[in-house]
Structure formats: structure tokens, C-alpha cells
Amino acid sequence: MVSLFNFYQLGNSFFQSNNFVDWTHSWMITVRVSDLAKLGEQLRKAGVKVSLDEQAQPKGRFARLDDQEGNPLELWEPKC
């Protein structure tokens, strides 16, 4: 597993175009996962609200959730 701490420019056109990310923060921790669908289902069963980006992006698939303090966490399954 690889974790990344990413800084983004507020209003980044990539995320703004698909309305996937709420830009109340200018940073996000990204965790690389091997099976996004399976992990998303496990998190939902545990009561965690997960937003799965239904449209695959050029670099893979993404999901978003917030920690208990409202800080963003991104899950990333790279394109094979």
C-alpha cells in the first residue's frame, strides 16, 4: 500500500469538472488500493460514507471519504 499526501490548487479543473471533490481543503491524503469496489463495500457495511467516482479516470478509479474531523481521504485504484 502506498500513501500520498497531495496538495491541490483550489478549484483544480480536473476535480471541478466532475464535481467529485468538495474543495473546502487544499490537500488530501491519497491511499493506493488494489480493489476499490471491495474496500468501498466493506467501508459502507461498517457505516462509513464513501463516494465512489463512477467514471474511471485516465489514472484509474477514485473514491472519497472524510475522517471524523472532516478531513478528506482519497482511495485510488490505479489503472492496470
Side-chain angles (χ1 to χ4, degrees):
M1 177 170 33
V2 175
S3 298
L4 306 168
F5 184 76
N6 294 319
F7 287 95
Y8 298 98
Q9 181 178 1
L10 289 176
N12 179 300
S13 62
F14 170 75
F15 290 106
Q16 204 170 33
S17 66
N18 65 20
N19 297 318
F20 184 57
V21 174
D22 172 18
W23 283 103
T24 56
H25 295 85
S26 61
W27 59 271
M28 183 171 9
I29 295 175
T30 302
V31 179
R32 182 178 176 172
V33 300
S34 59
D35 190 338
L36 187 59
K38 182 177 179 180
L39 181 57
E41 184 62 30
Q42 290 173 337
L43 289 168
R44 286 185 183 114
K45 284 182 181 178
V48 177
K49 182 180 174 187
V50 179
S51 299
L52 184 63
D53 187 358
E54 298 300 328
Q55 181 179 349
Q57 303 299 327
K59 295 190 183 254
R61 295 188 66 214
F62 295 87
R64 168 120 189 279
L65 56 121
D66 293 330
D67 71 10
Q68 293 176 339
E69 296 176 355
N71 299 306
L73 175 69
E74 180 179 64
L75 305 175
W76 167 49
E77 180 182 342
K79 192 172 187 176
C80 295

